[in-house]
Each structure stands twice: as structure tokens, then as C-alpha cells.
């Protein structure tokens, strides 16, 4: 994902500078954090990282540190799932705990911008942010499903299970940080914009593009009113954070600033890759599962397992 950012007029002509199809496999893998669960706690990893990020921000952790912890945790979770720092330590890995995280990080970040990779890798020793009190909008966004595929004048296409807005916001924040070097953007500002850009859906059920068009010239008022409720909640407990988040949100109404461009790379990719994963699952074949992925993998009884599958007509 490394790319020397363009600047000035040249960048304006190439709004997705640095993005190539080579980035998609890992972005797809990261997006599946919306679908990775464990007995650790309710909710997907993406949903829980969203909550942990807001808990850290609300208690006053520096946004730069929260960004690094959340994004680095997401990167290693792509391969380790819920085997995070605390879990590995509890399982008795001792001094090898961080080593395992670094191994997973290095395995998936070979194309990441080197300076950003160094910054994120250094945060692995801190693990995921500690749990804490979260604003009420965190729970609302986790309970609010995304609308699915909608188009004015057309019936809605629902693909189940639906992602929720907490998961989408978390992935946009993570993707946005990875895309920041492509545009010379501040990854912290992009992270905050991603984490907050669907504030309005805490109180505004998602009717999708078709519903938004039916609101007509009242759409902006509805969004602003719902978003302000979240900002007011932040202002009441963390006024400085509310100011920083507001500043991060202002540019994303367009694509003029580097931060807005990195944000929109993340937002549109997550929206489309979320639908694509349903289509990829529908095209999955037993040959891919058995031959390419080695579902029945090497081991002392591999030959016997293969014979069972052959006798059953599954191989």
C-alpha cells in the first residue's frame, strides 16, 4: 500500500492516488472483522474495536495513541482473530506475546507505507484500548443495521447478515488510516472522521439512498439535527474531544483536502467491498475450499480423511 503522495493539481486529477487492485485482498480480509466473533464478548471484532476506541477517546487518551492502538489491533486481528495481547498473555505466552502480534503484523503489512507501519507496529505492545464508559451513540450505532442496496424507485436489496453502523465506521477509520499516505493526509484526523461520520444514524434509522432522496430538501436538516445530538453528548463530557471531532468531520463533505480524499477512499471501498463479500461467498466452490484452502489440512490422519471424503463423494 506504500505510495509516494502526489501534490497540488496533479493529486486533484488522481483522487485515488496510490490505490491499485493489489490493495484489495488485504482490505477484503480486514473487512471480514465485521464477521469474526468469539466467546470473549458479544459483537464482532469490528464492533468491539469501535466501542473500545470511543471509550479511550472519552476518557482522554490522546487521539493519536487511540488511532495507533485501534488500527494496529485491527491489522493483527485479520489473522489472529480475538487472540489479542491480553488473551495471549492469559494463555501463558509470556515474553512471546508481543512477538506473536508482531509476526502477524509483519505478515499482512508488507505493502504498507513504511513510516506508518513503524508507527502502528510500535503500538502493538499496548494492545487494544482498555474498556471504559462509552457515549450512548456507540450502542445505538451497533444496533442500527446498514440499509443494504437501495436506489430511488427500486425495492431494497437486503443481504443478510447485515453489517451495523459501528462496524462500518470502524472499518472506514482503519481503511482511512491505511490510505492516508497516498494523499499526504493526517491519519489521526482521518481516523476520527471515520469513527464519527455516521453519528447521525444513532438517531436516524438508515433508509439508504432511496429514503434520503424522499426526504428531499429536508435531508440535510435531519442529518445535522441527529449528528448534533451526538456532538452535544460529547461536549457535555469531553468538550475538547467534541471540538477535534467536529473539525475532522467538516472537510469530508467534499474532496478538497488530503484528509477528505483519504476518508472517501475508505468510505466508498468499505461500502462496495461489503456487498462484494456476499457475492464472493455465493461463488465459493468445494474445490476452492478443499484444494486452495486445504480445509482438510496436513496432519497424521490426512490420508484417512481424504479417503473418507472420497468414499462420501465429497472429493
Amino acid at each position: 500500500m506504500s505510495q509516494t503522495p502526489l501534490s497540488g493539481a496533479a493529486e486533484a486529477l488522481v483522487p485515488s492516488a496510490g490505490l491499485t487492485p493489489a490493495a484489495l485482498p488485504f482490505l477484503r480480509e480486514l473487512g471480514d472483522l465485521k464477521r469474526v466473533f468469539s466467546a470473549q464478548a458479544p459483537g464482532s471484532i469490528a464492533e468491539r474495536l469501535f466501542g473500545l476506541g470511543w471509550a479511550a477517546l472519552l476518557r482522554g487518551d490522546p487521539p493519536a495513541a487511540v488511532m495507533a492502538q485501534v488500527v494496529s489491533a485491527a491489522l493483527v486481528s485479520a489473522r489472529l482473530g480475538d487472540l489479542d495481547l491480553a488473551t495471549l498473555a492469559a494463555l501463558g505466552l509470556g515474553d512471546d506475546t508481543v512477538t506473536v502480534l508482531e509476526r502477524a503484523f509483519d505478515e499482512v503489512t508488507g505493502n504498507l507505507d513504511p513510516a506508518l507501519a513503524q508507527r502502528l507496529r510500535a503500538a502493538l505492545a499496548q494492545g487494544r484500548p482498555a474498556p471504559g464508559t462509552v457515549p450512548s451513540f456507540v450502542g445505538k450505532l451497533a444496533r442500527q443495521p446498514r440499509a443494504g442496496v437501495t436506489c430511488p424507485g427500486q425495492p431494497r436489496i437486503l443481504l443478510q447478515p447485515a453489517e451495523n453502523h459501528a462496524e462500518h465506521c470502524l472499518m472506514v477509520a482503519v481503511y482511512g488510516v491505511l490510505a492516508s499516505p497516498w494523499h499526504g493526509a493526517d491519519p489521526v484526523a482521518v481516523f476520527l472522521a471515520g469513527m464519527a461520520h455516521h453519528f447521525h444514524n444513532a438517531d436516524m434509522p438508515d433508509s439508504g439512498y432511496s429514503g434520503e432522496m424522499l426526504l428531499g430538501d429536508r435531508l440535510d436538516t435531519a442529518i445535522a439535527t441527529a449528528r448534533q445530538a451526538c456532538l452535544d453528548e460529547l461536549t457535555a463530557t469531553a468538550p475538547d474531544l467534541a471540538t477535534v471531532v467536529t473539525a475532522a468531520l467538516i472537510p469530508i463533505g467534499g474532496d478538497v483536502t488530503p484528509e477528505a480524499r483519504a476518508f472517501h477512499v475508505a468510505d466508498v471501498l468499505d461500502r462496495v467491498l461489503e456487498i462484494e463479500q456476499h457475492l464472493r461467498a455465493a461463488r465459493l466452490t468445494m474445490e476452492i475450499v478443499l484444494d486452495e484452502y486445504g480445509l482438510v489440512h496436513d496432519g497424521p490422519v490426512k490420508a484417512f480423511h481424504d479417503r473418507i471424503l472420497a468414499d462420501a463423494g465429497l472429493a
Side-chain angles (χ1 to χ4, degrees):
M1 298 178 195
S2 177
Q3 175 73 25
T4 301
L6 301 175
S7 60
E11 185 173 17
L13 294 173
V14 192
S16 59
L19 176 64
T20 72
L24 290 182
F26 184 49
L27 297 182
R28 292 185 180 111
E29 186 174 0
L30 276 174
D32 280 338
L33 294 181
K34 300 173 186 175
R35 290 165 282 278
V36 179
F37 298 81
S38 76
Q40 297 285 85
S44 68
I45 291 178
E47 178 182 320
R48 285 184 279 119
L49 283 175
F50 181 75
L52 292 174
W54 277 111
L57 291 168
L58 192 66
R59 67 171 165 259
D61 292 7
V66 178
M67 178 279 292
Q69 281 185 270
V70 170
V71 176
S72 63
L75 295 178
V76 297
S77 293
R79 295 291 168 89
L80 287 173
D82 256 338
L83 290 174
D84 65 344
L85 181 77
T87 302
L88 290 171
L91 292 172
L93 269 69
D95 294 340
D96 290 330
T97 299
V98 175
T99 301
V100 171
L101 296 177
E102 291 174 341
R103 189 180 301 147
F105 184 91
D106 294 342
E107 187 170 296
V108 298
T109 57
N111 293 323
L112 192 62
D113 174 79
L116 178 62
Q118 183 178 18
R119 182 176 182 179
L120 296 176
R121 196 176 191 270
L124 292 173
Q126 280 72 57
R128 298 176 184 178
T133 301
V134 297
S136 66
F137 60 72
V138 169
K140 291 179 180 180
L141 290 171
R143 294 189 297 270
Q144 176 60 61
R146 301 271 287 161
V149 182
T150 67
C151 178
Q154 299 287 345
R156 185 184 308 225
I157 300 174
L158 290 174
L159 298 170
Q160 297 295 328
E163 63 176 328
N164 63 51
H165 278 78
E167 293 168 329
H168 169 66
C169 286
L170 186 281
M171 292 318 309
V172 172
V174 172
Y175 287 168
V177 169
L178 303 187
S180 294
W182 303 342
H183 298 282
D186 174 8
V188 179
V190 178
F191 174 80
L192 292 174
M195 292 284 280
H197 78 287
H198 272 281
F199 267 1
H200 58 283
N201 285 117
D203 290 325
M204 183 178 177
D206 191 354
S207 60
Y209 179 35
S210 56
E212 291 177 350
M213 292 302 97
L214 290 171
L215 284 172
D217 60 6
R218 305 303 293 168
L219 173 63
D220 288 345
T221 298
I223 290 176
T225 300
R227 175 179 285 177
Q228 191 59 48
C230 294
L231 290 171
D232 288 346
E233 182 179 4
L234 281 184
T235 300
T237 54
D240 290 343
L241 175 61
T243 299
V244 172
V245 169
T246 300
L249 287 171
I250 289 172
I252 67 173
D255 61 1
V256 175
T257 68
E259 289 71 31
R261 292 171 185 154
F263 165 82
H264 285 292
V265 168
D267 185 44
V268 72
L269 285 178
D270 186 64
R271 286 159 54 195
V272 174
L273 290 177
E274 173 63 23
I275 305 305
E276 187 208 44
Q277 67 88 19
H278 288 279
L279 305 179
R280 285 190 293 116
R283 294 194 299 267
L284 190 64
T285 66
M286 192 58 71
E287 286 75 15
I288 293 174
V289 170
L290 291 176
D291 297 339
E292 294 184 26
Y293 276 75
L295 177 64
V296 180
H297 49 75
D298 290 341
V301 293
K302 173 69 162 60
F304 186 54
H305 284 174
D306 288 342
R307 177 61 185 273
I308 293 170
L309 295 178
D311 289 347
L314 291 172

